[in-house]
Amino acid sequence: MSLRLGDTAPDFTAESTAGPIHLHAWLGESWGLLFSHPKDFTPVCTTELGAVAALKPEWDRRGVKVLGLSVDSVAEHRAWAGDIEDVTGHALNFPLLADPDRVVAGLYDMIHPNANDTLTVRSVFVIGPDKKIKLTLTYPASTGRNFDELLRVIDSLQRTSAHKVATPADWRPGQPVIVVPSLTDDQAQALFPGFETVKPYLRRTPDPVG
Ligand code: BEZ
């Protein structure tokens, strides 16, 4: 059965380009981004891994550890790494899990037989410091992901976990946020003095993160 938001991210130990990784211990108190791609030496995947490597300062700033996965071996990952740097100008700077026996792919339901019964799809899991799944996404093999959007979601998730706020459509850091509906107006006033009431159920306040 597929994983749902709020489920505990299945723990595993697997080989990677940075040696064996025991997921929960490796994550520690950090946020995690676990993403699968179908296969090494393929064009879209090459661009994606370079894009993720280029964003290293952004992952670090948010305390996010990034972990890629495909069903290929560590030796294949290492052989491919040079191409990723050649093509994108960014060397791999995060571990790539090898999953030739599809153990992790099975735990995270990353094989979709209607797409391809042996290759992982482009799955994304954002994992919180509590090891719970905060976001799942599945993209087709032919569509490279937008990792800026994943940073945006993580910015929203991190505000929601630290403050009683949600974020509106197309929100970007620095823009007003929404006071969660579970707060009464008195509670909202104590936490967000001067909040704006757009509708009784829609109250806005400045971004609590400076
Ligand atoms: C790619 O990464 O380019 C790719 C992988 C599997 C199927 C189609 C495209």
Side-chain angles (χ1 to χ4, degrees), residues 37-39 41-46 48 80 119-120 122 141-143:
H37 57 268
K39 196 154 179 51
F41 299 102
T42 50
V44 177
C45 300
T46 302
E48 282 194 325
W80 181 38
L119 302 183
T120 39
R122 292 188 202 284
S142 52
T143 304

Side-chain angles (χ1 to χ4, degrees), residues 35-102:
F35 70 105
S36 59
H37 57 268
K39 196 154 179 51
D40 295 0
F41 299 102
T42 50
V44 177
C45 300
T46 302
T47 63
E48 282 194 325
L49 294 197
V52 173
L55 290 171
K56 180 169 172 46
E58 300 299 327
W59 308 120
D60 289 350
R61 199 154 64 78
R62 292 163 176 80
V64 179
K65 287 189 169 178
V66 174
L67 192 52
L69 174 146
S70 85
V71 296
D72 294 316
S73 66
V74 167
E76 287 166 307
H77 291 349
R78 291 207 174 114
W80 181 38
D83 289 358
I84 294 168
E85 185 168 8
D86 279 355
V87 170
T88 69
H90 297 282
L92 275 182
N93 49 23
F94 55 91
L96 272 188
L97 292 168
D99 195 29
D101 299 328
R102 280 71 167 163

Side-chain angles (χ1 to χ4, degrees), residues 153-178:
V153 173
I154 290 166
D155 284 334
S156 171
L157 286 167
Q158 292 188 337
R159 276 163 181 73
T160 303
S161 77
H163 308 275
K164 292 189 182 310
V165 298
T167 57
D170 299 328
W171 173 85
R172 288 274 162 195
Q175 295 178 347
V177 298
I178 292 170

